[in-house]
Amino acid sequence: MAEPFRSFVSKVVPLPAENVDTDQIVPARYLKVTDKEGLADALFRDWRFGEDGSRKNPAFVLDRPGMAGRRILLVGDNFGTGSSREHAPWALRAWGIEAILSTSFADIFRSNALKNGVLPIAVDPATHAALFELVARDPDAELRLDLAEQGVLLPDGSTIDFEVDPFAKMMLLAGTDEIGYVLAREAEIAAWEAAHPPRVDTRLGTPLAAG
Amino acid sequence: MGLEAGLPIAGQPVEVVFIGSCTNSRISDLRLAASVLKGNRAADGVRLMIVPGSQQVKRQAEREGLHDIFRAAGAEWRESGCSMCIAMNGDQLSPGQYAISTSNRNFEGRQGKGGRTFLASPLTAAASAISGVVTDPRTIPGVSELVTVGGGY
């Protein structure tokens, strides 16, 4: 499915808002969409565009000069709260966001993000504050993100270490997901099945009559 | 949402009443709503939508005749679905409109861009439909005995 998640260098999109819910990340009216391509325009739609579809003035951070192409989002605590909505990481990924730095993430959002090539990185509050100070001082500061090493390298040479679920990390680095992981073992599964004839009628959930 | 800290919520006008969502539209919720709405009518200018939590709930409610009580009260008796919980199926607030809703989320714009949502129980939502303002259901005759402390509503 996805491309393998590689280390990269990027400037940061700062969004100092807490408890950003999935209704803000992508409003419900876009949930009928099944093609991820167009979702970049739905990202933070109601914060970016007015009723007539024109960009708000002053522009929302995503639409300010120099923000296009940035791959790291720096946001406030409890990002992605609210409805389970896979379109939220889809929209972030469609815009170009591949990693999100915050102090915490809503559980379902974190899980959805990891399955869709977006890496949520939780840091402690002091580090979080220091990152916002860094981008306030130098809006074009570049961070180097390395998933394999689980580190974010800052311009001053220091590194922020972060935790990530080992299985999710393996999936991201391989550019696959649980389904791909299972399908890659199809031969082994078929061999196991061949060596274990059915003992239960799976249509009825009852033991087969013979043996 | 146009309210001030410390302002009582009771008495705030609502234009739309939504009794629905997977959170609060099981058969027991609809029975409670019907107990309040029986013999009453939604206030003029109030849109009352009642959306069963599933087709199974819808069939059971109709076996019990709840849909007749709802329709007599001026409600729209709908197919099960997400409806205004998530501003789906064309059910959404207009900018500036206030709703009382038995769903469980009132994030900005959730029930329609620019709309505002009070979250409430089915009893409170039904009582508010009758008066057109956020209303304590215990003020509706015959309802107070339905409300028990920790009663699981």
Side-chain angles (χ1 to χ4, degrees), chain B residues 121-136:
Chain B
S121 68
L123 283 172
T124 302
S128 304
I130 298 166
S131 56
V133 300
V134 178
T135 298
D136 183 339

PDB file of all heavy atoms in Angstrom, chain B residues 121-136:
ATOM      1  N   SER B 121     -30.344  14.910  27.814  1.00  0.00           N
ATOM      2  CA  SER B 121     -30.959  13.584  27.842  1.00  0.00           C
ATOM      3  C   SER B 121     -32.218  13.587  26.964  1.00  0.00           C
ATOM      4  O   SER B 121     -32.758  14.655  26.642  1.00  0.00           O
ATOM      5  CB  SER B 121     -31.358  13.239  29.267  1.00  0.00           C
ATOM      6  OG  SER B 121     -32.421  14.089  29.659  1.00  0.00           O
ATOM      7  N   PRO B 122     -32.724  12.409  26.616  1.00  0.00           N
ATOM      8  CA  PRO B 122     -33.987  12.355  25.859  1.00  0.00           C
ATOM      9  C   PRO B 122     -35.140  13.035  26.599  1.00  0.00           C
ATOM     10  O   PRO B 122     -35.976  13.703  25.961  1.00  0.00           O
ATOM     11  CB  PRO B 122     -34.235  10.851  25.693  1.00  0.00           C
ATOM     12  CG  PRO B 122     -32.872  10.241  25.738  1.00  0.00           C
ATOM     13  CD  PRO B 122     -32.095  11.070  26.718  1.00  0.00           C
ATOM     14  N   LEU B 123     -35.187  12.889  27.930  1.00  0.00           N
ATOM     15  CA  LEU B 123     -36.259  13.558  28.691  1.00  0.00           C
ATOM     16  C   LEU B 123     -36.177  15.069  28.553  1.00  0.00           C
ATOM     17  O   LEU B 123     -37.179  15.751  28.313  1.00  0.00           O
ATOM     18  CB  LEU B 123     -36.157  13.180  30.180  1.00  0.00           C
ATOM     19  CG  LEU B 123     -36.662  11.800  30.617  1.00  0.00           C
ATOM     20  CD1 LEU B 123     -36.300  11.555  32.077  1.00  0.00           C
ATOM     21  CD2 LEU B 123     -38.177  11.695  30.419  1.00  0.00           C
ATOM     22  N   THR B 124     -34.974  15.596  28.734  1.00  0.00           N
ATOM     23  CA  THR B 124     -34.795  17.052  28.664  1.00  0.00           C
ATOM     24  C   THR B 124     -35.050  17.565  27.250  1.00  0.00           C
ATOM     25  O   THR B 124     -35.680  18.616  27.063  1.00  0.00           O
ATOM     26  CB  THR B 124     -33.379  17.427  29.122  1.00  0.00           C
ATOM     27  OG1 THR B 124     -33.198  16.948  30.452  1.00  0.00           O
ATOM     28  CG2 THR B 124     -33.148  18.925  29.084  1.00  0.00           C
ATOM     29  N   ALA B 125     -34.578  16.811  26.256  1.00  0.00           N
ATOM     30  CA  ALA B 125     -34.792  17.234  24.867  1.00  0.00           C
ATOM     31  C   ALA B 125     -36.288  17.266  24.548  1.00  0.00           C
ATOM     32  O   ALA B 125     -36.784  18.221  23.930  1.00  0.00           O
ATOM     33  CB  ALA B 125     -34.052  16.297  23.917  1.00  0.00           C
ATOM     34  N   ALA B 126     -37.004  16.226  24.987  1.00  0.00           N
ATOM     35  CA  ALA B 126     -38.447  16.162  24.705  1.00  0.00           C
ATOM     36  C   ALA B 126     -39.180  17.317  25.402  1.00  0.00           C
ATOM     37  O   ALA B 126     -40.046  17.973  24.803  1.00  0.00           O
ATOM     38  CB  ALA B 126     -39.005  14.811  25.154  1.00  0.00           C
ATOM     39  N   ALA B 127     -38.831  17.568  26.658  1.00  0.00           N
ATOM     40  CA  ALA B 127     -39.470  18.655  27.399  1.00  0.00           C
ATOM     41  C   ALA B 127     -39.188  20.006  26.733  1.00  0.00           C
ATOM     42  O   ALA B 127     -40.065  20.882  26.664  1.00  0.00           O
ATOM     43  CB  ALA B 127     -38.977  18.666  28.846  1.00  0.00           C
ATOM     44  N   SER B 128     -37.974  20.159  26.219  1.00  0.00           N
ATOM     45  CA  SER B 128     -37.585  21.421  25.582  1.00  0.00           C
ATOM     46  C   SER B 128     -38.319  21.624  24.260  1.00  0.00           C
ATOM     47  O   SER B 128     -38.587  22.759  23.853  1.00  0.00           O
ATOM     48  CB  SER B 128     -36.066  21.446  25.362  1.00  0.00           C
ATOM     49  OG  SER B 128     -35.395  21.238  26.591  1.00  0.00           O
ATOM     50  N   ALA B 129     -38.635  20.507  23.591  1.00  0.00           N
ATOM     51  CA  ALA B 129     -39.390  20.610  22.337  1.00  0.00           C
ATOM     52  C   ALA B 129     -40.765  21.223  22.596  1.00  0.00           C
ATOM     53  O   ALA B 129     -41.261  22.033  21.801  1.00  0.00           O
ATOM     54  CB  ALA B 129     -39.541  19.226  21.703  1.00  0.00           C
ATOM     55  N   ILE B 130     -41.377  20.853  23.708  1.00  0.00           N
ATOM     56  CA  ILE B 130     -42.732  21.335  24.017  1.00  0.00           C
ATOM     57  C   ILE B 130     -42.728  22.836  24.294  1.00  0.00           C
ATOM     58  O   ILE B 130     -43.587  23.581  23.846  1.00  0.00           O
ATOM     59  CB  ILE B 130     -43.303  20.569  25.233  1.00  0.00           C
ATOM     60  CG1 ILE B 130     -43.421  19.070  24.903  1.00  0.00           C
ATOM     61  CG2 ILE B 130     -44.643  21.138  25.655  1.00  0.00           C
ATOM     62  CD1 ILE B 130     -43.648  18.201  26.132  1.00  0.00           C
ATOM     63  N   SER B 131     -41.701  23.282  25.020  1.00  0.00           N
ATOM     64  CA  SER B 131     -41.678  24.686  25.437  1.00  0.00           C
ATOM     65  C   SER B 131     -40.913  25.585  24.463  1.00  0.00           C
ATOM     66  O   SER B 131     -41.099  26.804  24.463  1.00  0.00           O
ATOM     67  CB  SER B 131     -41.044  24.794  26.828  1.00  0.00           C
ATOM     68  OG  SER B 131     -39.761  24.214  26.789  1.00  0.00           O
ATOM     69  N   GLY B 132     -40.022  24.981  23.670  1.00  0.00           N
ATOM     70  CA  GLY B 132     -39.212  25.800  22.762  1.00  0.00           C
ATOM     71  C   GLY B 132     -38.011  26.432  23.434  1.00  0.00           C
ATOM     72  O   GLY B 132     -37.261  27.180  22.796  1.00  0.00           O
ATOM     73  N   VAL B 133     -37.824  26.140  24.718  1.00  0.00           N
ATOM     74  CA  VAL B 133     -36.630  26.602  25.432  1.00  0.00           C
ATOM     75  C   VAL B 133     -36.099  25.414  26.246  1.00  0.00           C
ATOM     76  O   VAL B 133     -36.834  24.460  26.530  1.00  0.00           O
ATOM     77  CB  VAL B 133     -36.911  27.784  26.395  1.00  0.00           C
ATOM     78  CG1 VAL B 133     -37.451  28.987  25.627  1.00  0.00           C
ATOM     79  CG2 VAL B 133     -37.881  27.372  27.503  1.00  0.00           C
ATOM     80  N   VAL B 134     -34.822  25.459  26.603  1.00  0.00           N
ATOM     81  CA  VAL B 134     -34.250  24.372  27.400  1.00  0.00           C
ATOM     82  C   VAL B 134     -35.038  24.262  28.703  1.00  0.00           C
ATOM     83  O   VAL B 134     -35.189  25.247  29.436  1.00  0.00           O
ATOM     84  CB  VAL B 134     -32.757  24.616  27.693  1.00  0.00           C
ATOM     85  CG1 VAL B 134     -32.196  23.491  28.571  1.00  0.00           C
ATOM     86  CG2 VAL B 134     -31.971  24.713  26.385  1.00  0.00           C
ATOM     87  N   THR B 135     -35.572  23.055  28.939  1.00  0.00           N
ATOM     88  CA  THR B 135     -36.549  22.870  30.011  1.00  0.00           C
ATOM     89  C   THR B 135     -36.223  21.647  30.861  1.00  0.00           C
ATOM     90  O   THR B 135     -35.917  20.578  30.335  1.00  0.00           O
ATOM     91  CB  THR B 135     -37.961  22.696  29.392  1.00  0.00           C
ATOM     92  OG1 THR B 135     -38.296  23.886  28.680  1.00  0.00           O
ATOM     93  CG2 THR B 135     -39.015  22.432  30.460  1.00  0.00           C
ATOM     94  N   ASP B 136     -36.317  21.824  32.169  1.00  0.00           N
ATOM     95  CA  ASP B 136     -36.173  20.713  33.105  1.00  0.00           C
ATOM     96  C   ASP B 136     -37.398  19.796  32.949  1.00  0.00           C
ATOM     97  O   ASP B 136     -38.530  20.247  33.159  1.00  0.00           O
ATOM     98  CB  ASP B 136     -36.104  21.283  34.531  1.00  0.00           C
ATOM     99  CG  ASP B 136     -35.886  20.204  35.579  1.00  0.00           C
ATOM    100  OD1 ASP B 136     -36.180  19.021  35.296  1.00  0.00           O
ATOM    101  OD2 ASP B 136     -35.425  20.563  36.678  1.00  0.00           O
TER     102      ASP B 136
END
